Amino acid sequence: MDRRQRQPVRAQPGHHLRLRRPAPRPARPVTLDELRSTASRIAGHDIPMDDAVFTSRFSDFARLARRYRDGRVLLAGDAAHVHFPVGGQGLNLGLQDAFNLAWKLALVVRGEAGKGLLDTYHDEHRPAGRRVVDNTRPSSR
């Protein structure tokens, strides 16, 4: 499964169409007929398709951890925030989480900063996670 859960469909030789829509029932496989009818409805005309290269469903399920730090447990990336995969925002946010944690952990481990420095991670990064979750929700509908 593509981590971004896109649904590429072979529309014509050498061309791919990417569809994103919330899944009505994630356990049910996507059929070629379903993709064809959905793509045709969106495009406003028939979209011929021979076969699907890859299909999967994606729901608009989003989550955000209440705390990015709880004692010795630190959350970053998808462990801290999950949302509709649009524009690489989750990847970018996860890298920012990791970079911020890396230098803070390094200073604390070397004894150059107190453990309180790790508390700033939640205060600095959860608001960004909240914004990304809120901003990507409309794209998943």
Side-chain angles (χ1 to χ4, degrees):
M1 178 175 78
D2 182 339
R3 292 189 61 86
R4 290 179 229 351
Q5 301 210 9
R6 293 184 180 140
Q7 301 173 355
V9 176
R10 187 163 291 149
Q12 296 176 0
H15 294 88
H16 288 84
L17 172 69
R18 296 190 187 274
L19 300 176
R20 295 185 188 129
R21 64 178 272 222
R25 288 182 281 161
R28 193 183 73 200
V30 179
T31 66
L32 185 60
D33 287 338
E34 180 183 2
L35 288 173
R36 187 182 300 114
S37 68
T38 300
S40 297
R41 180 180 51 80
I42 291 169
H45 58 84
D46 285 340
I47 303 289
M49 296 181 198
D50 299 337
D51 66 337
V53 175
F54 174 83
T55 64
S56 69
R57 296 190 186 273
F58 185 86
S59 73
D60 64 352
F61 174 74
R63 68 180 190 264
L64 180 66
R66 286 191 189 117
R67 298 283 313 154
Y68 280 26
R69 177 176 186 219
D70 188 1
R72 293 173 38 144
V73 176
L74 296 153
L75 301 177
D78 287 352
H81 41 77
V82 175
H83 53 83
F84 185 69
V86 61
Q89 295 178 66
L91 174 63
N92 188 34
L93 192 58
L95 289 171
Q96 291 175 39
D97 291 348
F99 183 81
N100 187 272
L101 271 177
W103 72 263
K104 289 178 179 182
L105 284 167
L107 289 177
V108 171
V109 167
R110 289 193 308 231
E112 297 173 21
K115 292 181 182 176
L117 178 63
L118 298 176
D119 291 330
T120 64
Y121 168 66
H122 169 85
D123 296 335
E124 294 169 0
H125 282 260
R126 190 173 188 282
R130 171 87 277 155
R131 282 190 303 274
V132 169
V133 167
D134 290 345
N135 290 337
T136 58
R137 236 184 212 131
S139 299
S140 68
R141 301 193 192 284

